[in-house]
Structures are given as structure tokens and as C-alpha cells.
Amino acid sequence: GVMLGIVYFKTNVDFGGIQNRMGSMFFIVLYLGLASLSSVPVWNENRLLFLRERASGAYSTFAYFTSMVLFDIIPMRIIPTCMFSLSYFMIGLSSTTDAVLHFPTFVIILVLTNASAVSMSMCIGACFPDTKIANAFASLAVLVSIMYGGFILSKHTMGRFSTFEANFSYMNFAFE
């Protein structure tokens, strides 16, 4: 977060500054999307252990699901998302008068974007028994989300089908 803030430190309020702000936001959302790929093997790694322990009555499916989600999402997803808090002020993503008011919205949007990306990756990982195939499909899903996110392809020039696809892109909602 600090490194990103140093690169885009005190961005100007001209056309180049707008491009730099959009580039920094794109980098943040892209980083979170790619970091979510680490959650693809979460369900496959312990599948056999879970089936064996559930069959022996050690714990329920709900307890396993809750513990896996809580111990993956909170330390691995929410805390790293907050590292971009410093870069928000260093870059100047909001004007100086209302930066503190918009900051909670910025953090909430990043946390929700990251949670959406992680949920998509976990779902794809749970659908495939082989982690390699799941990683390939999850990478493709992140790339499609990037393409329809609104940064690379303008939403105003998309065709009817592309507009439909953009509604499924979690990055599209992050840029709104």
C-alpha cells in the first residue's frame, strides 16, 4: 500500500492525474482479484480429511464451513485489503475537505470486492476436484471480470451481450 502511495503520491487534478487515479484504483482492484486466486484450493486440500472426520462425527458441515470461511476471509482477505488505506490518502483519491468522509466507503467497497472475488474463486475451486483445472477456470474468470470491469472496455460502447456480461463482473461494481 505504501509503495503504491509513493508511486502515485499527491496526484494532480488534471487529465493526467485522473488517468493516474484510475490506474491506481485499477491496480488495487486487480491486485485483490489476483490475490483471490489463492483461495481456489481451500476446499480441495482438506476434502478427504473433512469427509473422514464428518463421517466419524467429529464436527458438522456447518462448523467446518464456518471455520474455513472465517479463518480464510478475515486474516487473508480483510486485513490485507486495509493495507491500501494509507495509499488512499497518499494518492489523494478524494479531495482534502471530504477525504475522511469518503474513506469508509472506499474501504467497504474494497472489502466487498475482495469478498466477491474470493467467493467466486472458492466456488470454482469447490466445483472441480483437480486444483490445476480449478486454477485455470478461476484465472479465466478473473480475466473476464477484468475485461468487463469498465476500465479496459468502455461500458458505453459495449454491445448488448457485453453489457449483460458486465453485470456479472465484480470489478464493474468496484469501479462504479
PDB file of all heavy atoms in Angstrom, residues 62-99:
ATOM      1  N   PHE A  62     -21.603 -27.484   8.841  1.00  0.00           N
ATOM      2  CA  PHE A  62     -21.712 -26.059   9.123  1.00  0.00           C
ATOM      3  C   PHE A  62     -20.507 -25.556   9.908  1.00  0.00           C
ATOM      4  O   PHE A  62     -19.979 -24.477   9.632  1.00  0.00           O
ATOM      5  CB  PHE A  62     -23.009 -25.760   9.882  1.00  0.00           C
ATOM      6  CG  PHE A  62     -23.176 -24.315  10.217  1.00  0.00           C
ATOM      7  CD1 PHE A  62     -23.514 -23.395   9.229  1.00  0.00           C
ATOM      8  CD2 PHE A  62     -22.966 -23.851  11.506  1.00  0.00           C
ATOM      9  CE1 PHE A  62     -23.651 -22.046   9.526  1.00  0.00           C
ATOM     10  CE2 PHE A  62     -23.100 -22.512  11.814  1.00  0.00           C
ATOM     11  CZ  PHE A  62     -23.448 -21.609  10.819  1.00  0.00           C
ATOM     12  N   ALA A  63     -20.068 -26.327  10.901  1.00  0.00           N
ATOM     13  CA  ALA A  63     -18.906 -25.919  11.701  1.00  0.00           C
ATOM     14  C   ALA A  63     -17.647 -25.860  10.831  1.00  0.00           C
ATOM     15  O   ALA A  63     -16.843 -24.929  10.955  1.00  0.00           O
ATOM     16  CB  ALA A  63     -18.702 -26.883  12.862  1.00  0.00           C
ATOM     17  N   TYR A  64     -17.480 -26.818   9.954  1.00  0.00           N
ATOM     18  CA  TYR A  64     -16.314 -26.828   9.065  1.00  0.00           C
ATOM     19  C   TYR A  64     -16.358 -25.635   8.109  1.00  0.00           C
ATOM     20  O   TYR A  64     -15.374 -24.923   7.938  1.00  0.00           O
ATOM     21  CB  TYR A  64     -16.269 -28.132   8.267  1.00  0.00           C
ATOM     22  CG  TYR A  64     -15.167 -28.186   7.253  1.00  0.00           C
ATOM     23  CD1 TYR A  64     -13.853 -28.395   7.631  1.00  0.00           C
ATOM     24  CD2 TYR A  64     -15.435 -28.013   5.895  1.00  0.00           C
ATOM     25  CE1 TYR A  64     -12.827 -28.436   6.700  1.00  0.00           C
ATOM     26  CE2 TYR A  64     -14.421 -28.050   4.960  1.00  0.00           C
ATOM     27  CZ  TYR A  64     -13.123 -28.271   5.364  1.00  0.00           C
ATOM     28  OH  TYR A  64     -12.122 -28.293   4.435  1.00  0.00           O
ATOM     29  N   PHE A  65     -17.521 -25.409   7.497  1.00  0.00           N
ATOM     30  CA  PHE A  65     -17.679 -24.299   6.561  1.00  0.00           C
ATOM     31  C   PHE A  65     -17.417 -22.958   7.251  1.00  0.00           C
ATOM     32  O   PHE A  65     -16.686 -22.116   6.734  1.00  0.00           O
ATOM     33  CB  PHE A  65     -19.089 -24.326   5.952  1.00  0.00           C
ATOM     34  CG  PHE A  65     -19.374 -23.150   5.070  1.00  0.00           C
ATOM     35  CD1 PHE A  65     -18.875 -23.099   3.779  1.00  0.00           C
ATOM     36  CD2 PHE A  65     -20.145 -22.094   5.522  1.00  0.00           C
ATOM     37  CE1 PHE A  65     -19.128 -22.013   2.960  1.00  0.00           C
ATOM     38  CE2 PHE A  65     -20.408 -21.002   4.719  1.00  0.00           C
ATOM     39  CZ  PHE A  65     -19.896 -20.968   3.433  1.00  0.00           C
ATOM     40  N   THR A  66     -18.010 -22.771   8.411  1.00  0.00           N
ATOM     41  CA  THR A  66     -17.843 -21.513   9.138  1.00  0.00           C
ATOM     42  C   THR A  66     -16.388 -21.271   9.510  1.00  0.00           C
ATOM     43  O   THR A  66     -15.870 -20.161   9.343  1.00  0.00           O
ATOM     44  CB  THR A  66     -18.722 -21.513  10.408  1.00  0.00           C
ATOM     45  OG1 THR A  66     -20.075 -21.777  10.028  1.00  0.00           O
ATOM     46  CG2 THR A  66     -18.649 -20.194  11.128  1.00  0.00           C
ATOM     47  N   SER A  67     -15.717 -22.295  10.015  1.00  0.00           N
ATOM     48  CA  SER A  67     -14.315 -22.119  10.401  1.00  0.00           C
ATOM     49  C   SER A  67     -13.429 -21.845   9.192  1.00  0.00           C
ATOM     50  O   SER A  67     -12.523 -21.013   9.258  1.00  0.00           O
ATOM     51  CB  SER A  67     -13.807 -23.330  11.173  1.00  0.00           C
ATOM     52  OG  SER A  67     -13.752 -24.462  10.331  1.00  0.00           O
ATOM     53  N   MET A  68     -13.687 -22.525   8.079  1.00  0.00           N
ATOM     54  CA  MET A  68     -12.875 -22.298   6.883  1.00  0.00           C
ATOM     55  C   MET A  68     -13.076 -20.881   6.340  1.00  0.00           C
ATOM     56  O   MET A  68     -12.117 -20.228   5.952  1.00  0.00           O
ATOM     57  CB  MET A  68     -13.216 -23.322   5.800  1.00  0.00           C
ATOM     58  CG  MET A  68     -12.732 -24.720   6.106  1.00  0.00           C
ATOM     59  SD  MET A  68     -10.952 -24.844   6.232  1.00  0.00           S
ATOM     60  CE  MET A  68     -10.485 -24.746   4.539  1.00  0.00           C
ATOM     61  N   VAL A  69     -14.306 -20.420   6.324  1.00  0.00           N
ATOM     62  CA  VAL A  69     -14.582 -19.079   5.809  1.00  0.00           C
ATOM     63  C   VAL A  69     -14.020 -18.010   6.742  1.00  0.00           C
ATOM     64  O   VAL A  69     -13.364 -17.063   6.301  1.00  0.00           O
ATOM     65  CB  VAL A  69     -16.097 -18.879   5.573  1.00  0.00           C
ATOM     66  CG1 VAL A  69     -16.432 -17.432   5.324  1.00  0.00           C
ATOM     67  CG2 VAL A  69     -16.556 -19.726   4.398  1.00  0.00           C
ATOM     68  N   LEU A  70     -14.240 -18.159   8.039  1.00  0.00           N
ATOM     69  CA  LEU A  70     -13.756 -17.157   8.986  1.00  0.00           C
ATOM     70  C   LEU A  70     -12.235 -17.075   9.016  1.00  0.00           C
ATOM     71  O   LEU A  70     -11.670 -15.990   9.088  1.00  0.00           O
ATOM     72  CB  LEU A  70     -14.288 -17.447  10.390  1.00  0.00           C
ATOM     73  CG  LEU A  70     -15.747 -17.093  10.634  1.00  0.00           C
ATOM     74  CD1 LEU A  70     -16.156 -17.468  12.045  1.00  0.00           C
ATOM     75  CD2 LEU A  70     -15.993 -15.618  10.395  1.00  0.00           C
ATOM     76  N   PHE A  71     -11.584 -18.229   8.955  1.00  0.00           N
ATOM     77  CA  PHE A  71     -10.129 -18.205   9.031  1.00  0.00           C
ATOM     78  C   PHE A  71      -9.464 -17.986   7.682  1.00  0.00           C
ATOM     79  O   PHE A  71      -8.248 -17.888   7.615  1.00  0.00           O
ATOM     80  CB  PHE A  71      -9.605 -19.477   9.705  1.00  0.00           C
ATOM     81  CG  PHE A  71      -9.863 -19.480  11.181  1.00  0.00           C
ATOM     82  CD1 PHE A  71     -10.864 -20.267  11.717  1.00  0.00           C
ATOM     83  CD2 PHE A  71      -9.137 -18.661  12.017  1.00  0.00           C
ATOM     84  CE1 PHE A  71     -11.121 -20.253  13.070  1.00  0.00           C
ATOM     85  CE2 PHE A  71      -9.386 -18.633  13.379  1.00  0.00           C
ATOM     86  CZ  PHE A  71     -10.381 -19.444  13.907  1.00  0.00           C
ATOM     87  N   ASP A  72     -10.235 -17.905   6.634  1.00  0.00           N
ATOM     88  CA  ASP A  72      -9.670 -17.504   5.344  1.00  0.00           C
ATOM     89  C   ASP A  72     -10.004 -16.050   5.044  1.00  0.00           C
ATOM     90  O   ASP A  72      -9.146 -15.299   4.621  1.00  0.00           O
ATOM     91  CB  ASP A  72     -10.191 -18.392   4.206  1.00  0.00           C
ATOM     92  CG  ASP A  72      -9.524 -18.044   2.890  1.00  0.00           C
ATOM     93  OD1 ASP A  72      -8.326 -18.341   2.738  1.00  0.00           O
ATOM     94  OD2 ASP A  72     -10.189 -17.439   2.033  1.00  0.00           O
ATOM     95  N   ILE A  73     -11.235 -15.663   5.266  1.00  0.00           N
ATOM     96  CA  ILE A  73     -11.659 -14.324   4.864  1.00  0.00           C
ATOM     97  C   ILE A  73     -11.109 -13.241   5.788  1.00  0.00           C
ATOM     98  O   ILE A  73     -10.580 -12.238   5.315  1.00  0.00           O
ATOM     99  CB  ILE A  73     -13.199 -14.261   4.760  1.00  0.00           C
ATOM    100  CG1 ILE A  73     -13.615 -15.044   3.550  1.00  0.00           C
ATOM    101  CG2 ILE A  73     -13.681 -12.831   4.704  1.00  0.00           C
ATOM    102  CD1 ILE A  73     -15.003 -14.874   3.093  1.00  0.00           C
ATOM    103  N   ILE A  74     -11.167 -13.424   7.095  1.00  0.00           N
ATOM    104  CA  ILE A  74     -10.737 -12.335   7.982  1.00  0.00           C
ATOM    105  C   ILE A  74      -9.217 -12.107   7.925  1.00  0.00           C
ATOM    106  O   ILE A  74      -8.784 -11.007   7.598  1.00  0.00           O
ATOM    107  CB  ILE A  74     -11.241 -12.573   9.422  1.00  0.00           C
ATOM    108  CG1 ILE A  74     -12.761 -12.414   9.433  1.00  0.00           C
ATOM    109  CG2 ILE A  74     -10.591 -11.596  10.392  1.00  0.00           C
ATOM    110  CD1 ILE A  74     -13.420 -12.746  10.728  1.00  0.00           C
ATOM    111  N   PRO A  75      -8.377 -13.115   8.194  1.00  0.00           N
ATOM    112  CA  PRO A  75      -6.938 -12.794   8.184  1.00  0.00           C
ATOM    113  C   PRO A  75      -6.328 -12.671   6.791  1.00  0.00           C
ATOM    114  O   PRO A  75      -5.351 -11.951   6.605  1.00  0.00           O
ATOM    115  CB  PRO A  75      -6.304 -13.958   8.945  1.00  0.00           C
ATOM    116  CG  PRO A  75      -7.252 -15.080   8.787  1.00  0.00           C
ATOM    117  CD  PRO A  75      -8.615 -14.466   8.660  1.00  0.00           C
ATOM    118  N   MET A  76      -6.882 -13.371   5.815  1.00  0.00           N
ATOM    119  CA  MET A  76      -6.258 -13.398   4.496  1.00  0.00           C
ATOM    120  C   MET A  76      -6.864 -12.407   3.511  1.00  0.00           C
ATOM    121  O   MET A  76      -6.270 -12.131   2.472  1.00  0.00           O
ATOM    122  CB  MET A  76      -6.358 -14.806   3.893  1.00  0.00           C
ATOM    123  CG  MET A  76      -5.673 -15.870   4.727  1.00  0.00           C
ATOM    124  SD  MET A  76      -3.908 -15.655   4.781  1.00  0.00           S
ATOM    125  CE  MET A  76      -3.483 -15.991   3.112  1.00  0.00           C
ATOM    126  N   ARG A  77      -8.054 -11.883   3.786  1.00  0.00           N
ATOM    127  CA  ARG A  77      -8.740 -11.036   2.816  1.00  0.00           C
ATOM    128  C   ARG A  77      -9.037  -9.633   3.333  1.00  0.00           C
ATOM    129  O   ARG A  77      -8.801  -8.650   2.656  1.00  0.00           O
ATOM    130  CB  ARG A  77     -10.059 -11.691   2.365  1.00  0.00           C
ATOM    131  CG  ARG A  77      -9.929 -13.117   1.952  1.00  0.00           C
ATOM    132  CD  ARG A  77      -9.006 -13.301   0.787  1.00  0.00           C
ATOM    133  NE  ARG A  77      -8.714 -14.726   0.633  1.00  0.00           N
ATOM    134  CZ  ARG A  77      -7.656 -15.203   0.036  1.00  0.00           C
ATOM    135  NH1 ARG A  77      -6.770 -14.392  -0.469  1.00  0.00           N
ATOM    136  NH2 ARG A  77      -7.455 -16.483  -0.064  1.00  0.00           N
ATOM    137  N   ILE A  78      -9.577  -9.524   4.541  1.00  0.00           N
ATOM    138  CA  ILE A  78      -9.976  -8.212   5.045  1.00  0.00           C
ATOM    139  C   ILE A  78      -8.768  -7.412   5.524  1.00  0.00           C
ATOM    140  O   ILE A  78      -8.621  -6.233   5.190  1.00  0.00           O
ATOM    141  CB  ILE A  78     -11.033  -8.352   6.163  1.00  0.00           C
ATOM    142  CG1 ILE A  78     -12.321  -8.911   5.554  1.00  0.00           C
ATOM    143  CG2 ILE A  78     -11.292  -7.013   6.834  1.00  0.00           C
ATOM    144  CD1 ILE A  78     -13.415  -9.183   6.548  1.00  0.00           C
ATOM    145  N   ILE A  79      -7.880  -8.029   6.269  1.00  0.00           N
ATOM    146  CA  ILE A  79      -6.714  -7.309   6.787  1.00  0.00           C
ATOM    147  C   ILE A  79      -5.802  -6.832   5.647  1.00  0.00           C
ATOM    148  O   ILE A  79      -5.394  -5.667   5.642  1.00  0.00           O
ATOM    149  CB  ILE A  79      -5.967  -8.165   7.831  1.00  0.00           C
ATOM    150  CG1 ILE A  79      -6.863  -8.350   9.056  1.00  0.00           C
ATOM    151  CG2 ILE A  79      -4.637  -7.524   8.216  1.00  0.00           C
ATOM    152  CD1 ILE A  79      -6.362  -9.330  10.074  1.00  0.00           C
ATOM    153  N   PRO A  80      -5.474  -7.670   4.640  1.00  0.00           N
ATOM    154  CA  PRO A  80      -4.670  -7.138   3.526  1.00  0.00           C
ATOM    155  C   PRO A  80      -5.367  -6.037   2.731  1.00  0.00           C
ATOM    156  O   PRO A  80      -4.710  -5.158   2.185  1.00  0.00           O
ATOM    157  CB  PRO A  80      -4.419  -8.359   2.647  1.00  0.00           C
ATOM    158  CG  PRO A  80      -4.511  -9.502   3.571  1.00  0.00           C
ATOM    159  CD  PRO A  80      -5.569  -9.115   4.564  1.00  0.00           C
ATOM    160  N   THR A  81      -6.692  -6.068   2.685  1.00  0.00           N
ATOM    161  CA  THR A  81      -7.425  -5.017   1.984  1.00  0.00           C
ATOM    162  C   THR A  81      -7.203  -3.669   2.672  1.00  0.00           C
ATOM    163  O   THR A  81      -7.082  -2.636   2.015  1.00  0.00           O
ATOM    164  CB  THR A  81      -8.925  -5.353   1.940  1.00  0.00           C
ATOM    165  OG1 THR A  81      -9.097  -6.596   1.279  1.00  0.00           O
ATOM    166  CG2 THR A  81      -9.710  -4.285   1.221  1.00  0.00           C
ATOM    167  N   CYS A  82      -7.103  -3.700   3.973  1.00  0.00           N
ATOM    168  CA  CYS A  82      -6.910  -2.456   4.724  1.00  0.00           C
ATOM    169  C   CYS A  82      -5.520  -1.856   4.532  1.00  0.00           C
ATOM    170  O   CYS A  82      -5.295  -0.709   4.893  1.00  0.00           O
ATOM    171  CB  CYS A  82      -7.191  -2.705   6.201  1.00  0.00           C
ATOM    172  SG  CYS A  82      -8.929  -3.094   6.503  1.00  0.00           S
ATOM    173  N   MET A  83      -4.590  -2.619   3.940  1.00  0.00           N
ATOM    174  CA  MET A  83      -3.255  -2.052   3.706  1.00  0.00           C
ATOM    175  C   MET A  83      -3.298  -0.939   2.653  1.00  0.00           C
ATOM    176  O   MET A  83      -2.375  -0.140   2.576  1.00  0.00           O
ATOM    177  CB  MET A  83      -2.268  -3.138   3.298  1.00  0.00           C
ATOM    178  CG  MET A  83      -2.395  -3.618   1.900  1.00  0.00           C
ATOM    179  SD  MET A  83      -1.159  -4.864   1.581  1.00  0.00           S
ATOM    180  CE  MET A  83      -1.508  -5.249  -0.106  1.00  0.00           C
ATOM    181  N   PHE A  84      -4.355  -0.889   1.876  1.00  0.00           N
ATOM    182  CA  PHE A  84      -4.490   0.181   0.890  1.00  0.00           C
ATOM    183  C   PHE A  84      -5.066   1.455   1.509  1.00  0.00           C
ATOM    184  O   PHE A  84      -5.239   2.440   0.818  1.00  0.00           O
ATOM    185  CB  PHE A  84      -5.352  -0.283  -0.282  1.00  0.00           C
ATOM    186  CG  PHE A  84      -4.692  -1.327  -1.128  1.00  0.00           C
ATOM    187  CD1 PHE A  84      -5.152  -2.624  -1.135  1.00  0.00           C
ATOM    188  CD2 PHE A  84      -3.584  -1.010  -1.896  1.00  0.00           C
ATOM    189  CE1 PHE A  84      -4.528  -3.590  -1.903  1.00  0.00           C
ATOM    190  CE2 PHE A  84      -2.957  -1.970  -2.672  1.00  0.00           C
ATOM    191  CZ  PHE A  84      -3.428  -3.259  -2.668  1.00  0.00           C
ATOM    192  N   SER A  85      -5.350   1.422   2.793  1.00  0.00           N
ATOM    193  CA  SER A  85      -5.881   2.600   3.477  1.00  0.00           C
ATOM    194  C   SER A  85      -4.910   3.762   3.424  1.00  0.00           C
ATOM    195  O   SER A  85      -5.306   4.907   3.216  1.00  0.00           O
ATOM    196  CB  SER A  85      -6.202   2.263   4.928  1.00  0.00           C
ATOM    197  OG  SER A  85      -7.147   1.234   4.983  1.00  0.00           O
ATOM    198  N   LEU A  86      -3.647   3.476   3.613  1.00  0.00           N
ATOM    199  CA  LEU A  86      -2.634   4.524   3.587  1.00  0.00           C
ATOM    200  C   LEU A  86      -2.516   5.133   2.197  1.00  0.00           C
ATOM    201  O   LEU A  86      -2.379   6.357   2.062  1.00  0.00           O
ATOM    202  CB  LEU A  86      -1.292   3.954   4.033  1.00  0.00           C
ATOM    203  CG  LEU A  86      -0.462   4.890   4.862  1.00  0.00           C
ATOM    204  CD1 LEU A  86      -0.945   4.854   6.288  1.00  0.00           C
ATOM    205  CD2 LEU A  86       0.976   4.494   4.775  1.00  0.00           C
ATOM    206  N   SER A  87      -2.577   4.294   1.178  1.00  0.00           N
ATOM    207  CA  SER A  87      -2.430   4.799  -0.185  1.00  0.00           C
ATOM    208  C   SER A  87      -3.598   5.699  -0.590  1.00  0.00           C
ATOM    209  O   SER A  87      -3.434   6.568  -1.439  1.00  0.00           O
ATOM    210  CB  SER A  87      -2.260   3.647  -1.176  1.00  0.00           C
ATOM    211  OG  SER A  87      -3.380   2.809  -1.164  1.00  0.00           O
ATOM    212  N   TYR A  88      -4.755   5.506   0.017  1.00  0.00           N
ATOM    213  CA  TYR A  88      -5.912   6.365  -0.273  1.00  0.00           C
ATOM    214  C   TYR A  88      -5.568   7.826  -0.019  1.00  0.00           C
ATOM    215  O   TYR A  88      -5.866   8.701  -0.836  1.00  0.00           O
ATOM    216  CB  TYR A  88      -7.097   5.926   0.595  1.00  0.00           C
ATOM    217  CG  TYR A  88      -8.327   6.786   0.445  1.00  0.00           C
ATOM    218  CD1 TYR A  88      -9.216   6.574  -0.597  1.00  0.00           C
ATOM    219  CD2 TYR A  88      -8.610   7.806   1.347  1.00  0.00           C
ATOM    220  CE1 TYR A  88     -10.350   7.361  -0.733  1.00  0.00           C
ATOM    221  CE2 TYR A  88      -9.734   8.585   1.219  1.00  0.00           C
ATOM    222  CZ  TYR A  88     -10.602   8.358   0.174  1.00  0.00           C
ATOM    223  OH  TYR A  88     -11.727   9.129   0.039  1.00  0.00           O
ATOM    224  N   PHE A  89      -4.940   8.084   1.119  1.00  0.00           N
ATOM    225  CA  PHE A  89      -4.596   9.463   1.469  1.00  0.00           C
ATOM    226  C   PHE A  89      -3.334   9.933   0.750  1.00  0.00           C
ATOM    227  O   PHE A  89      -3.218  11.108   0.425  1.00  0.00           O
ATOM    228  CB  PHE A  89      -4.434   9.594   2.984  1.00  0.00           C
ATOM    229  CG  PHE A  89      -5.708   9.344   3.724  1.00  0.00           C
ATOM    230  CD1 PHE A  89      -5.911   8.147   4.392  1.00  0.00           C
ATOM    231  CD2 PHE A  89      -6.722  10.282   3.727  1.00  0.00           C
ATOM    232  CE1 PHE A  89      -7.099   7.902   5.070  1.00  0.00           C
ATOM    233  CE2 PHE A  89      -7.908  10.055   4.393  1.00  0.00           C
ATOM    234  CZ  PHE A  89      -8.101   8.861   5.076  1.00  0.00           C
ATOM    235  N   MET A  90      -2.387   9.027   0.507  1.00  0.00           N
ATOM    236  CA  MET A  90      -1.151   9.412  -0.173  1.00  0.00           C
ATOM    237  C   MET A  90      -1.410   9.806  -1.629  1.00  0.00           C
ATOM    238  O   MET A  90      -0.825  10.753  -2.139  1.00  0.00           O
ATOM    239  CB  MET A  90      -0.135   8.269  -0.108  1.00  0.00           C
ATOM    240  CG  MET A  90       0.420   8.021   1.285  1.00  0.00           C
ATOM    241  SD  MET A  90       1.499   6.588   1.347  1.00  0.00           S
ATOM    242  CE  MET A  90       2.948   7.238   0.537  1.00  0.00           C
ATOM    243  N   ILE A  91      -2.298   9.060  -2.285  1.00  0.00           N
ATOM    244  CA  ILE A  91      -2.612   9.337  -3.689  1.00  0.00           C
ATOM    245  C   ILE A  91      -3.509  10.562  -3.796  1.00  0.00           C
ATOM    246  O   ILE A  91      -3.408  11.341  -4.735  1.00  0.00           O
ATOM    247  CB  ILE A  91      -3.282   8.110  -4.348  1.00  0.00           C
ATOM    248  CG1 ILE A  91      -2.316   6.935  -4.364  1.00  0.00           C
ATOM    249  CG2 ILE A  91      -3.762   8.424  -5.752  1.00  0.00           C
ATOM    250  CD1 ILE A  91      -2.960   5.618  -4.724  1.00  0.00           C
ATOM    251  N   GLY A  92      -4.386  10.721  -2.825  1.00  0.00           N
ATOM    252  CA  GLY A  92      -5.345  11.813  -2.886  1.00  0.00           C
ATOM    253  C   GLY A  92      -6.559  11.414  -3.696  1.00  0.00           C
ATOM    254  O   GLY A  92      -7.005  12.161  -4.572  1.00  0.00           O
ATOM    255  N   LEU A  93      -7.096  10.231  -3.416  1.00  0.00           N
ATOM    256  CA  LEU A  93      -8.246   9.748  -4.181  1.00  0.00           C
ATOM    257  C   LEU A  93      -9.503  10.552  -3.913  1.00  0.00           C
ATOM    258  O   LEU A  93     -10.484  10.423  -4.626  1.00  0.00           O
ATOM    259  CB  LEU A  93      -8.484   8.261  -3.893  1.00  0.00           C
ATOM    260  CG  LEU A  93      -7.428   7.320  -4.451  1.00  0.00           C
ATOM    261  CD1 LEU A  93      -7.710   5.885  -4.037  1.00  0.00           C
ATOM    262  CD2 LEU A  93      -7.359   7.419  -5.962  1.00  0.00           C
ATOM    263  N   SER A  94      -9.493  11.367  -2.898  1.00  0.00           N
ATOM    264  CA  SER A  94     -10.608  12.258  -2.613  1.00  0.00           C
ATOM    265  C   SER A  94     -10.035  13.628  -2.277  1.00  0.00           C
ATOM    266  O   SER A  94      -8.888  13.742  -1.855  1.00  0.00           O
ATOM    267  CB  SER A  94     -11.425  11.713  -1.441  1.00  0.00           C
ATOM    268  OG  SER A  94     -12.586  12.484  -1.253  1.00  0.00           O
ATOM    269  N   SER A  95     -10.849  14.649  -2.455  1.00  0.00           N
ATOM    270  CA  SER A  95     -10.354  15.996  -2.144  1.00  0.00           C
ATOM    271  C   SER A  95     -10.068  16.116  -0.650  1.00  0.00           C
ATOM    272  O   SER A  95     -10.582  15.354   0.159  1.00  0.00           O
ATOM    273  CB  SER A  95     -11.376  17.041  -2.586  1.00  0.00           C
ATOM    274  OG  SER A  95     -12.556  16.919  -1.817  1.00  0.00           O
ATOM    275  N   THR A  96      -9.282  17.086  -0.290  1.00  0.00           N
ATOM    276  CA  THR A  96      -8.851  17.212   1.107  1.00  0.00           C
ATOM    277  C   THR A  96      -9.992  17.530   2.064  1.00  0.00           C
ATOM    278  O   THR A  96      -9.916  17.206   3.237  1.00  0.00           O
ATOM    279  CB  THR A  96      -7.777  18.306   1.242  1.00  0.00           C
ATOM    280  OG1 THR A  96      -8.289  19.524   0.724  1.00  0.00           O
ATOM    281  CG2 THR A  96      -6.517  17.912   0.503  1.00  0.00           C
ATOM    282  N   THR A  97     -11.048  18.159   1.597  1.00  0.00           N
ATOM    283  CA  THR A  97     -12.130  18.549   2.502  1.00  0.00           C
ATOM    284  C   THR A  97     -13.027  17.385   2.896  1.00  0.00           C
ATOM    285  O   THR A  97     -13.535  17.353   4.001  1.00  0.00           O
ATOM    286  CB  THR A  97     -13.005  19.646   1.867  1.00  0.00           C
ATOM    287  OG1 THR A  97     -13.524  19.163   0.619  1.00  0.00           O
ATOM    288  CG2 THR A  97     -12.203  20.900   1.649  1.00  0.00           C
ATOM    289  N   ASP A  98     -13.213  16.429   1.992  1.00  0.00           N
ATOM    290  CA  ASP A  98     -14.114  15.322   2.313  1.00  0.00           C
ATOM    291  C   ASP A  98     -13.440  13.956   2.227  1.00  0.00           C
ATOM    292  O   ASP A  98     -14.106  12.936   2.120  1.00  0.00           O
ATOM    293  CB  ASP A  98     -15.343  15.361   1.421  1.00  0.00           C
ATOM    294  CG  ASP A  98     -15.006  15.241  -0.057  1.00  0.00           C
ATOM    295  OD1 ASP A  98     -13.807  15.257  -0.394  1.00  0.00           O
ATOM    296  OD2 ASP A  98     -15.933  15.138  -0.869  1.00  0.00           O
ATOM    297  N   ALA A  99     -12.124  13.909   2.314  1.00  0.00           N
ATOM    298  CA  ALA A  99     -11.398  12.643   2.214  1.00  0.00           C
ATOM    299  C   ALA A  99     -11.763  11.700   3.345  1.00  0.00           C
ATOM    300  O   ALA A  99     -11.932  10.502   3.137  1.00  0.00           O
ATOM    301  CB  ALA A  99      -9.888  12.890   2.202  1.00  0.00           C
TER     302      ALA A  99
END
